[in-house]
């Protein structure tokens, strides 16, 4: 069963806003640790170097209102942001490809604190099948369709080699997956109603290397 | 000693181009596996659903020219893209914070194939200090400045708790780090000449959850 949707309303939130909201959340958490009860958008602005009016605009999407002169209540800000961002819900997922990156994600229990629970993994490696990693069982991909009957899952994490990235994506979608978290550097194609979130560590590395070379050359 | 810079010239490549180039690389690798010798931008376009003229424009930044009617040589395209993206160079890095995500990155040997070699890790956990993970030694952060004298490193990977993210960033930069790969959801502040690459898995999760909820609501 899915929880009721936590959003204030169902408008499509702009991606840049969604990318900034976790920054406000982490700052609010830090302020809480420091014993602060209230924070204004001007204070957040000083701390993270984003325009205060932008922060106020971003926060207008979430269900919180600041009080004149005191700002937002820190505890409420944390709760509302965690709920809005989906971190306080439990989203179940499966993972395909228990290689070095896939294995690393299965071991990373931090994901669970942000609302993602990987409940099963799939790999063709006979050494892995039947074992478990961080209490997550590993199965043969052939059993996926059958497992999907009992698992309440709509997210698939893709950490397979590029040569089977598209095939495994198709297999996940046929099995009922609605969102694919794609860690491969491969651009997968999906039907229009399927969400793809690309997180290629390698693309980020390339960006960083390029900027570093550029800076070194302009010293 | 740093290798000579591999770039054709030192123009600043647009970020969207840098984000797409790894897609062309993974496609070229796949074509190579399939025994193809040549590929045109039209063919790449069909495979990954990006406009052919955009692909040709993106590839104009790298040192390769296609031949009329046959297109790009697949092997040359792979070599040139890997070099351009920095994947064929060895960039040494240190990592701060051997928690679940930090530990996962130390174990992920895939990064090495894309040009990043983590040579040392730092953590205050006494159980970890003096041990190693995937042959990477773990030290106390107090020894960082001293280690930097002998390590030929200019990249720092940041996987610490948010409450010390800024402090550790400052410490890395004081020690000579020129680029910070920030995996925390915290927006760190750095001097203008320092590169920051933000890779917050949690921000990507939030994006995915939001899109998924939006789709579910509009079925």
């Amino acid at each position: 069963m899915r929880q009721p949707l936590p959003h204030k309303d169902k408008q499509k939130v702009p991606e840049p806003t969604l990318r900034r909201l976790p920054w406000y959340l982490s700052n609010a958490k830090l302020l809480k640790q420091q014993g602060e009860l209230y924070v204004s958008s001007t204070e957040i602005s000083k701390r993270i170097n984003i325009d205060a009016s932008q922060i106020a605009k971003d926060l207008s999407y979430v269900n919180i209102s600041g009080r004149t002169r005191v700002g937002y209540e820190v505890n409420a800000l944390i709760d509302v942001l965690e709920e809005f961002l989906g971190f306080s819900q439990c989203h179940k997922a499966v993972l395909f490809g228990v290689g070095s990156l896939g294995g690393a994600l299965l071991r990373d229990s931090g994901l669970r604190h942000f609302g993602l629970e990987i409940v099963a993994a799939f790999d063709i490696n006979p050494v892995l099948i039947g074992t478990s990693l961080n209490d997550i069982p590993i199965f043969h991909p052939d059993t996926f369709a059958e497992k999907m009957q009992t698992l309440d899952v709509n997210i698939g994490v893709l950490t397979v080699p590029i040569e089977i990235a598209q095939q495994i994506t198709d297999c996940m979608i046929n099995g009922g997956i609605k969102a694919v978290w794609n860690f491969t550097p491969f651009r997968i194609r999906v039907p229009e109603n399927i969400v793809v979130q690309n997180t290629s560590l390698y693309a980020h590395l390339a960006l960083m290397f390029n900027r570093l070379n550029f800076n070194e050359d302009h010293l």
Side-chain angles (χ1 to χ4, degrees), chain A:
Chain A
M1 289 294 194
R2 310 293 308 162
Q3 297 285 322
L5 299 172
H7 293 186
K8 183 184 173 185
D9 46 30
K10 301 304 161 199
Q11 54 189 320
K12 195 159 187 173
V13 185
E15 187 163 324
T17 294
L18 280 171
R19 290 187 178 278
R20 283 186 295 264
L21 290 175
W23 287 336
Y24 311 151
L25 175 60
S26 63
N27 253 276
K29 283 181 179 172
L30 191 53
L31 284 166
K32 185 183 175 171
Q33 284 183 17
Q34 293 165 351
E36 299 291 332
L37 295 177
Y38 290 92
V39 63
S40 66
S41 48
T42 318
E43 277 163 43
I44 303 178
S45 170
K46 275 187 215 150
R47 290 171 154 263
I48 63 177
N49 203 20
I50 289 175
D51 203 58
S53 62
Q54 181 67 66
I55 296 173
K57 199 176 161 194
D58 288 341
L59 288 177
S60 74
Y61 284 98
V62 306
N63 196 8
I64 193 164
S65 44
R67 280 204 262 156
T68 323
R69 291 179 196 279
V70 284
Y72 306 100
E73 212 187 316
V74 170
N75 276 332
L77 189 57
I78 293 172
D79 289 349
V80 163
L81 281 172
E82 285 193 328
E83 201 180 316
F84 186 84
L85 293 169
F87 297 158
S88 48
Q89 258 186 284
C90 172
H91 301 79
K92 290 187 184 172
V94 293
L95 177 143
F96 274 79
V98 190
S100 62
L101 180 60
L105 290 172
L106 294 183
R107 282 190 202 94
D108 179 14
S109 36
L111 293 173
R112 201 171 290 201
H113 298 295
F114 286 84
L116 191 83
E117 189 186 357
I118 302 174
V119 294
F122 297 87
D123 200 288
I124 51 162
N125 184 346
V127 176
L128 294 173
I129 295 164
T131 68
S132 66
L133 197 52
N134 196 15
D135 290 331
I136 301 160
I138 303 170
F139 304 110
H140 192 285
D142 284 352
T143 66
F144 173 63
E146 179 206 323
K147 299 282 176 208
M148 279 297 280
Q149 316 261 314
T150 52
L151 299 171
D152 176 32
V153 165
N154 59 3
I155 294 174
V157 183
L158 188 70
T159 48
V160 298
I162 53 168
E163 57 268 28
I164 54 167
Q166 187 61 54
Q167 173 199 333
I168 295 291
T169 300
D170 297 343
C171 156
M172 287 203 284
I173 293 168
N174 287 337
I177 290 299
K178 300 296 179 204
V180 180
W181 196 4
N182 175 26
F183 281 85
T184 80
F186 196 80
R187 186 170 160 92
I188 52 173
R189 280 159 304 172
V190 300
E192 213 181 330
N193 61 327
I194 302 294
V195 175
V196 173
Q197 176 62 47
N198 290 309
T199 301
S200 170
L201 298 187
Y202 311 130
H204 287 192
L205 266 183
L207 273 172
M208 183 170 65
F209 293 158
N210 186 275
R211 296 301 178 229
L212 192 56
N213 277 348
F214 183 84
N215 277 2
E216 280 177 353
D217 212 55
H218 287 77
L219 287 182

